[in-house]
Amino acid sequence: MSPTVSESEFEDLSRQAEIDGTAPRVGAIIDRGGQVLLLERHDTGPIKAPLKLPGATVLPRESLAEAVARGVREETGLVVTGIRHHVGDFDYLSPDAHPVRRLHFAVDVATTDPIHLTAHARYYWAPLDGELRVTSSIRRILDTYRNLVLG
């Protein structure tokens, strides 16, 4: 059986974000045979925006686990069946200069298709060992994930 993130670990992560004065957001790593699901924003400019992991802003009174499941469902139509690992996080400033902590989790889903996008232009199944058009912060999260699953 895969390890799962405990309720106390979720609570500790939420509490630490609150202590640090950061708004929690979550991201999900969905793995399909060594490829991860990445989403592309709608973009009309000449420079392509980086790809992103599915995720969500944590709503008031919502647990991190609930936010992960909701974010994956809303952005992809996939159903989270388990949250295996807290892979890592990073802090940044939102466009309106508020501190945010993005917490990333490796998740299991009922099935990896079909994907129904609601807020993104397209999706990609990208190999973990390939060149990915992601931010350096997401690259570090994916590298940590790759090391976790490969041992």
mmCIF file with all atom_site columns, all heavy atoms in Angstrom, residues 109-124:
data_model
loop_
_atom_site.group_PDB
_atom_site.id
_atom_site.type_symbol
_atom_site.label_atom_id
_atom_site.label_alt_id
_atom_site.label_comp_id
_atom_site.label_asym_id
_atom_site.label_entity_id
_atom_site.label_seq_id
_atom_site.pdbx_PDB_ins_code
_atom_site.Cartn_x
_atom_site.Cartn_y
_atom_site.Cartn_z
_atom_site.occupancy
_atom_site.B_iso_or_equiv
_atom_site.pdbx_formal_charge
_atom_site.auth_seq_id
_atom_site.auth_comp_id
_atom_site.auth_asym_id
_atom_site.auth_atom_id
_atom_site.pdbx_PDB_model_num
ATOM 1   N N   . VAL A 1 109 ? -5.305  9.143  -8.713  1.00 0.00 ? 109 VAL A N   1
ATOM 2   C CA  . VAL A 1 109 ? -6.611  9.467  -9.278  1.00 0.00 ? 109 VAL A CA  1
ATOM 3   C C   . VAL A 1 109 ? -7.293  8.179  -9.732  1.00 0.00 ? 109 VAL A C   1
ATOM 4   O O   . VAL A 1 109 ? -6.628  7.184  -10.013 1.00 0.00 ? 109 VAL A O   1
ATOM 5   C CB  . VAL A 1 109 ? -6.496  10.479 -10.453 1.00 0.00 ? 109 VAL A CB  1
ATOM 6   C CG1 . VAL A 1 109 ? -6.057  11.850 -9.947  1.00 0.00 ? 109 VAL A CG1 1
ATOM 7   C CG2 . VAL A 1 109 ? -5.554  9.985  -11.532 1.00 0.00 ? 109 VAL A CG2 1
ATOM 8   N N   . ALA A 1 110 ? -8.626  8.233  -9.794  1.00 0.00 ? 110 ALA A N   1
ATOM 9   C CA  . ALA A 1 110 ? -9.394  7.050  -10.186 1.00 0.00 ? 110 ALA A CA  1
ATOM 10  C C   . ALA A 1 110 ? -8.997  6.574  -11.576 1.00 0.00 ? 110 ALA A C   1
ATOM 11  O O   . ALA A 1 110 ? -8.854  5.381  -11.819 1.00 0.00 ? 110 ALA A O   1
ATOM 12  C CB  . ALA A 1 110 ? -10.893 7.353  -10.112 1.00 0.00 ? 110 ALA A CB  1
ATOM 13  N N   . THR A 1 111 ? -8.830  7.503  -12.489 1.00 0.00 ? 111 THR A N   1
ATOM 14  C CA  . THR A 1 111 ? -8.397  7.211  -13.852 1.00 0.00 ? 111 THR A CA  1
ATOM 15  C C   . THR A 1 111 ? -7.739  8.468  -14.402 1.00 0.00 ? 111 THR A C   1
ATOM 16  O O   . THR A 1 111 ? -8.058  9.570  -13.957 1.00 0.00 ? 111 THR A O   1
ATOM 17  C CB  . THR A 1 111 ? -9.573  6.765  -14.746 1.00 0.00 ? 111 THR A CB  1
ATOM 18  O OG1 . THR A 1 111 ? -9.094  6.471  -16.054 1.00 0.00 ? 111 THR A OG1 1
ATOM 19  C CG2 . THR A 1 111 ? -10.658 7.817  -14.809 1.00 0.00 ? 111 THR A CG2 1
ATOM 20  N N   . THR A 1 112 ? -6.828  8.311  -15.339 1.00 0.00 ? 112 THR A N   1
ATOM 21  C CA  . THR A 1 112 ? -6.129  9.480  -15.889 1.00 0.00 ? 112 THR A CA  1
ATOM 22  C C   . THR A 1 112 ? -6.776  10.033 -17.149 1.00 0.00 ? 112 THR A C   1
ATOM 23  O O   . THR A 1 112 ? -6.230  10.928 -17.785 1.00 0.00 ? 112 THR A O   1
ATOM 24  C CB  . THR A 1 112 ? -4.648  9.151  -16.173 1.00 0.00 ? 112 THR A CB  1
ATOM 25  O OG1 . THR A 1 112 ? -4.579  8.023  -17.045 1.00 0.00 ? 112 THR A OG1 1
ATOM 26  C CG2 . THR A 1 112 ? -3.892  8.869  -14.886 1.00 0.00 ? 112 THR A CG2 1
ATOM 27  N N   . ASP A 1 113 ? -7.915  9.496  -17.510 1.00 0.00 ? 113 ASP A N   1
ATOM 28  C CA  . ASP A 1 113 ? -8.659  10.061 -18.631 1.00 0.00 ? 113 ASP A CA  1
ATOM 29  C C   . ASP A 1 113 ? -10.131 9.729  -18.483 1.00 0.00 ? 113 ASP A C   1
ATOM 30  O O   . ASP A 1 113 ? -10.478 8.807  -17.748 1.00 0.00 ? 113 ASP A O   1
ATOM 31  C CB  . ASP A 1 113 ? -8.110  9.571  -19.979 1.00 0.00 ? 113 ASP A CB  1
ATOM 32  C CG  . ASP A 1 113 ? -8.168  8.067  -20.138 1.00 0.00 ? 113 ASP A CG  1
ATOM 33  O OD1 . ASP A 1 113 ? -9.239  7.480  -19.941 1.00 0.00 ? 113 ASP A OD1 1
ATOM 34  O OD2 . ASP A 1 113 ? -7.128  7.470  -20.461 1.00 0.00 ? 113 ASP A OD2 1
ATOM 35  N N   . PRO A 1 114 ? -10.994 10.489 -19.098 1.00 0.00 ? 114 PRO A N   1
ATOM 36  C CA  . PRO A 1 114 ? -10.687 11.659 -19.923 1.00 0.00 ? 114 PRO A CA  1
ATOM 37  C C   . PRO A 1 114 ? -10.417 12.876 -19.056 1.00 0.00 ? 114 PRO A C   1
ATOM 38  O O   . PRO A 1 114 ? -10.867 12.960 -17.918 1.00 0.00 ? 114 PRO A O   1
ATOM 39  C CB  . PRO A 1 114 ? -11.980 11.860 -20.736 1.00 0.00 ? 114 PRO A CB  1
ATOM 40  C CG  . PRO A 1 114 ? -13.056 11.355 -19.823 1.00 0.00 ? 114 PRO A CG  1
ATOM 41  C CD  . PRO A 1 114 ? -12.438 10.200 -19.059 1.00 0.00 ? 114 PRO A CD  1
ATOM 42  N N   . ILE A 1 115 ? -9.667  13.796 -19.603 1.00 0.00 ? 115 ILE A N   1
ATOM 43  C CA  . ILE A 1 115 ? -9.392  15.060 -18.933 1.00 0.00 ? 115 ILE A CA  1
ATOM 44  C C   . ILE A 1 115 ? -10.317 16.112 -19.521 1.00 0.00 ? 115 ILE A C   1
ATOM 45  O O   . ILE A 1 115 ? -10.430 16.240 -20.740 1.00 0.00 ? 115 ILE A O   1
ATOM 46  C CB  . ILE A 1 115 ? -7.913  15.450 -19.084 1.00 0.00 ? 115 ILE A CB  1
ATOM 47  C CG1 . ILE A 1 115 ? -7.070  14.451 -18.293 1.00 0.00 ? 115 ILE A CG1 1
ATOM 48  C CG2 . ILE A 1 115 ? -7.676  16.888 -18.629 1.00 0.00 ? 115 ILE A CG2 1
ATOM 49  C CD1 . ILE A 1 115 ? -5.595  14.630 -18.407 1.00 0.00 ? 115 ILE A CD1 1
ATOM 50  N N   . HIS A 1 116 ? -10.987 16.833 -18.636 1.00 0.00 ? 116 HIS A N   1
ATOM 51  C CA  . HIS A 1 116 ? -11.905 17.899 -19.040 1.00 0.00 ? 116 HIS A CA  1
ATOM 52  C C   . HIS A 1 116 ? -11.362 19.215 -18.500 1.00 0.00 ? 116 HIS A C   1
ATOM 53  O O   . HIS A 1 116 ? -11.468 19.479 -17.305 1.00 0.00 ? 116 HIS A O   1
ATOM 54  C CB  . HIS A 1 116 ? -13.318 17.652 -18.500 1.00 0.00 ? 116 HIS A CB  1
ATOM 55  C CG  . HIS A 1 116 ? -13.918 16.385 -18.996 1.00 0.00 ? 116 HIS A CG  1
ATOM 56  N ND1 . HIS A 1 116 ? -14.380 16.237 -20.283 1.00 0.00 ? 116 HIS A ND1 1
ATOM 57  C CD2 . HIS A 1 116 ? -14.129 15.195 -18.383 1.00 0.00 ? 116 HIS A CD2 1
ATOM 58  C CE1 . HIS A 1 116 ? -14.849 15.012 -20.447 1.00 0.00 ? 116 HIS A CE1 1
ATOM 59  N NE2 . HIS A 1 116 ? -14.705 14.359 -19.313 1.00 0.00 ? 116 HIS A NE2 1
ATOM 60  N N   . LEU A 1 117 ? -10.776 20.005 -19.371 1.00 0.00 ? 117 LEU A N   1
ATOM 61  C CA  . LEU A 1 117 ? -10.217 21.289 -18.949 1.00 0.00 ? 117 LEU A CA  1
ATOM 62  C C   . LEU A 1 117 ? -11.318 22.327 -18.825 1.00 0.00 ? 117 LEU A C   1
ATOM 63  O O   . LEU A 1 117 ? -12.215 22.390 -19.663 1.00 0.00 ? 117 LEU A O   1
ATOM 64  C CB  . LEU A 1 117 ? -9.173  21.767 -19.961 1.00 0.00 ? 117 LEU A CB  1
ATOM 65  C CG  . LEU A 1 117 ? -7.944  20.866 -20.130 1.00 0.00 ? 117 LEU A CG  1
ATOM 66  C CD1 . LEU A 1 117 ? -7.030  21.442 -21.208 1.00 0.00 ? 117 LEU A CD1 1
ATOM 67  C CD2 . LEU A 1 117 ? -7.199  20.692 -18.829 1.00 0.00 ? 117 LEU A CD2 1
ATOM 68  N N   . THR A 1 118 ? -11.219 23.149 -17.775 1.00 0.00 ? 118 THR A N   1
ATOM 69  C CA  . THR A 1 118 ? -12.197 24.217 -17.580 1.00 0.00 ? 118 THR A CA  1
ATOM 70  C C   . THR A 1 118 ? -11.557 25.601 -17.662 1.00 0.00 ? 118 THR A C   1
ATOM 71  O O   . THR A 1 118 ? -12.205 26.539 -18.096 1.00 0.00 ? 118 THR A O   1
ATOM 72  C CB  . THR A 1 118 ? -12.895 24.084 -16.217 1.00 0.00 ? 118 THR A CB  1
ATOM 73  O OG1 . THR A 1 118 ? -11.889 24.090 -15.186 1.00 0.00 ? 118 THR A OG1 1
ATOM 74  C CG2 . THR A 1 118 ? -13.712 22.797 -16.138 1.00 0.00 ? 118 THR A CG2 1
ATOM 75  N N   . ALA A 1 119 ? -10.307 25.718 -17.242 1.00 0.00 ? 119 ALA A N   1
ATOM 76  C CA  . ALA A 1 119 ? -9.679  27.040 -17.170 1.00 0.00 ? 119 ALA A CA  1
ATOM 77  C C   . ALA A 1 119 ? -8.344  27.100 -17.912 1.00 0.00 ? 119 ALA A C   1
ATOM 78  O O   . ALA A 1 119 ? -7.623  28.081 -17.793 1.00 0.00 ? 119 ALA A O   1
ATOM 79  C CB  . ALA A 1 119 ? -9.465  27.426 -15.706 1.00 0.00 ? 119 ALA A CB  1
ATOM 80  N N   . HIS A 1 120 ? -8.027  26.064 -18.664 1.00 0.00 ? 120 HIS A N   1
ATOM 81  C CA  . HIS A 1 120 ? -6.741  26.008 -19.361 1.00 0.00 ? 120 HIS A CA  1
ATOM 82  C C   . HIS A 1 120 ? -6.940  25.670 -20.834 1.00 0.00 ? 120 HIS A C   1
ATOM 83  O O   . HIS A 1 120 ? -7.946  25.065 -21.213 1.00 0.00 ? 120 HIS A O   1
ATOM 84  C CB  . HIS A 1 120 ? -5.825  24.991 -18.685 1.00 0.00 ? 120 HIS A CB  1
ATOM 85  C CG  . HIS A 1 120 ? -5.464  25.393 -17.293 1.00 0.00 ? 120 HIS A CG  1
ATOM 86  N ND1 . HIS A 1 120 ? -6.261  25.086 -16.219 1.00 0.00 ? 120 HIS A ND1 1
ATOM 87  C CD2 . HIS A 1 120 ? -4.440  26.126 -16.810 1.00 0.00 ? 120 HIS A CD2 1
ATOM 88  C CE1 . HIS A 1 120 ? -5.725  25.594 -15.126 1.00 0.00 ? 120 HIS A CE1 1
ATOM 89  N NE2 . HIS A 1 120 ? -4.625  26.233 -15.462 1.00 0.00 ? 120 HIS A NE2 1
ATOM 90  N N   . ALA A 1 121 ? -5.949  26.034 -21.623 1.00 0.00 ? 121 ALA A N   1
ATOM 91  C CA  . ALA A 1 121 ? -6.041  25.832 -23.068 1.00 0.00 ? 121 ALA A CA  1
ATOM 92  C C   . ALA A 1 121 ? -5.797  24.377 -23.469 1.00 0.00 ? 121 ALA A C   1
ATOM 93  O O   . ALA A 1 121 ? -6.472  23.844 -24.343 1.00 0.00 ? 121 ALA A O   1
ATOM 94  C CB  . ALA A 1 121 ? -5.047  26.734 -23.790 1.00 0.00 ? 121 ALA A CB  1
ATOM 95  N N   . ARG A 1 122 ? -4.817  23.740 -22.843 1.00 0.00 ? 122 ARG A N   1
ATOM 96  C CA  . ARG A 1 122 ? -4.487  22.352 -23.178 1.00 0.00 ? 122 ARG A CA  1
ATOM 97  C C   . ARG A 1 122 ? -3.721  21.708 -22.039 1.00 0.00 ? 122 ARG A C   1
ATOM 98  O O   . ARG A 1 122 ? -3.311  22.384 -21.112 1.00 0.00 ? 122 ARG A O   1
ATOM 99  C CB  . ARG A 1 122 ? -3.738  22.224 -24.498 1.00 0.00 ? 122 ARG A CB  1
ATOM 100 C CG  . ARG A 1 122 ? -2.589  23.125 -24.760 1.00 0.00 ? 122 ARG A CG  1
ATOM 101 C CD  . ARG A 1 122 ? -2.015  23.069 -26.183 1.00 0.00 ? 122 ARG A CD  1
ATOM 102 N NE  . ARG A 1 122 ? -2.763  23.711 -27.227 1.00 0.00 ? 122 ARG A NE  1
ATOM 103 C CZ  . ARG A 1 122 ? -2.872  25.015 -27.427 1.00 0.00 ? 122 ARG A CZ  1
ATOM 104 N NH1 . ARG A 1 122 ? -2.278  25.838 -26.632 1.00 0.00 ? 122 ARG A NH1 1
ATOM 105 N NH2 . ARG A 1 122 ? -3.551  25.492 -28.431 1.00 0.00 ? 122 ARG A NH2 1
ATOM 106 N N   . TYR A 1 123 ? -3.526  20.422 -22.172 1.00 0.00 ? 123 TYR A N   1
ATOM 107 C CA  . TYR A 1 123 ? -2.756  19.683 -21.171 1.00 0.00 ? 123 TYR A CA  1
ATOM 108 C C   . TYR A 1 123 ? -1.721  18.823 -21.872 1.00 0.00 ? 123 TYR A C   1
ATOM 109 O O   . TYR A 1 123 ? -1.823  18.530 -23.066 1.00 0.00 ? 123 TYR A O   1
ATOM 110 C CB  . TYR A 1 123 ? -3.668  18.827 -20.283 1.00 0.00 ? 123 TYR A CB  1
ATOM 111 C CG  . TYR A 1 123 ? -4.314  17.663 -21.003 1.00 0.00 ? 123 TYR A CG  1
ATOM 112 C CD1 . TYR A 1 123 ? -3.688  16.424 -21.063 1.00 0.00 ? 123 TYR A CD1 1
ATOM 113 C CD2 . TYR A 1 123 ? -5.551  17.800 -21.623 1.00 0.00 ? 123 TYR A CD2 1
ATOM 114 C CE1 . TYR A 1 123 ? -4.282  15.362 -21.722 1.00 0.00 ? 123 TYR A CE1 1
ATOM 115 C CE2 . TYR A 1 123 ? -6.154  16.744 -22.268 1.00 0.00 ? 123 TYR A CE2 1
ATOM 116 C CZ  . TYR A 1 123 ? -5.515  15.525 -22.316 1.00 0.00 ? 123 TYR A CZ  1
ATOM 117 O OH  . TYR A 1 123 ? -6.098  14.470 -22.970 1.00 0.00 ? 123 TYR A OH  1
ATOM 118 N N   . TYR A 1 124 ? -0.706  18.427 -21.108 1.00 0.00 ? 124 TYR A N   1
ATOM 119 C CA  . TYR A 1 124 ? 0.370   17.584 -21.619 1.00 0.00 ? 124 TYR A CA  1
ATOM 120 C C   . TYR A 1 124 ? 0.709   16.533 -20.573 1.00 0.00 ? 124 TYR A C   1
ATOM 121 O O   . TYR A 1 124 ? 0.710   16.831 -19.375 1.00 0.00 ? 124 TYR A O   1
ATOM 122 C CB  . TYR A 1 124 ? 1.644   18.411 -21.877 1.00 0.00 ? 124 TYR A CB  1
ATOM 123 C CG  . TYR A 1 124 ? 1.457   19.526 -22.862 1.00 0.00 ? 124 TYR A CG  1
ATOM 124 C CD1 . TYR A 1 124 ? 1.149   20.814 -22.430 1.00 0.00 ? 124 TYR A CD1 1
ATOM 125 C CD2 . TYR A 1 124 ? 1.585   19.311 -24.227 1.00 0.00 ? 124 TYR A CD2 1
ATOM 126 C CE1 . TYR A 1 124 ? 0.971   21.844 -23.325 1.00 0.00 ? 124 TYR A CE1 1
ATOM 127 C CE2 . TYR A 1 124 ? 1.405   20.343 -25.137 1.00 0.00 ? 124 TYR A CE2 1
ATOM 128 C CZ  . TYR A 1 124 ? 1.097   21.605 -24.675 1.00 0.00 ? 124 TYR A CZ  1
ATOM 129 O OH  . TYR A 1 124 ? 0.918   22.627 -25.562 1.00 0.00 ? 124 TYR A OH  1
#
